[in-house]
């Protein structure tokens, strides 16, 4: 399943500063293109579904906050590249087992 591939991509970015630094400045279409060339088979829709579930899980389950515009998680997004935010503030809140 391609959602699993996007999770694998996030895990790789979280465990390799070089990988994250290479992908972080890319827009989504470039990221998808280069990730596919490196063997990650996921689509924008796959990434959207995973991100939505992970963000909701951080806010509702981990932070125990309402899922609204005042959630603490959203503050980490400001002034940060989106992939950095996803890796450092969303995926990092989960164990490897939870992400699987």
């Amino acid at each position: 399943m391609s959602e699993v591939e996007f999770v694998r991509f996030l895990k790789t970015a979280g465990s390799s500063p070089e990988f994250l630094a290479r992908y972080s400045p890319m827009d989504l279409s470039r990221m998808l293109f280069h990730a596919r060339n490196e063997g990650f088979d996921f689509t924008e829709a796959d990434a959207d579904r995973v991100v939505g579930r992970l963000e909701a899980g951080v806010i509702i389950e981990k932070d125990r906050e309402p899922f609204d515009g005042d959630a603490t998680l959203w503050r980490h997004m400001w002034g940060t590249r989106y992939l950095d935010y996803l890796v450092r503030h969303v995926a990092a809140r989960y164990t490897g087992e939870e992400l699987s």
Side-chain angles (χ1 to χ4, degrees), residues 38-93:
E38 289 196 54
F40 296 94
D41 187 21
F42 60 88
T43 65
E44 180 178 350
D46 298 322
D48 286 343
R49 284 189 297 272
V50 169
V51 169
R53 282 196 299 266
L54 293 177
E55 286 177 329
V58 167
I59 293 167
I60 295 166
E61 297 167 16
K62 295 185 178 292
D63 292 343
R64 301 199 184 278
E65 296 179 334
F67 192 85
D68 62 19
D70 294 325
T72 305
L73 179 63
W74 306 136
R75 294 182 196 129
H76 296 291
M77 204 183 286
W78 293 101
T80 304
R81 290 180 170 154
Y82 191 63
L83 186 58
D84 291 336
Y85 153 78
L86 288 177
V87 169
R88 295 182 178 141
H89 299 285
V90 179
R93 298 285 305 273

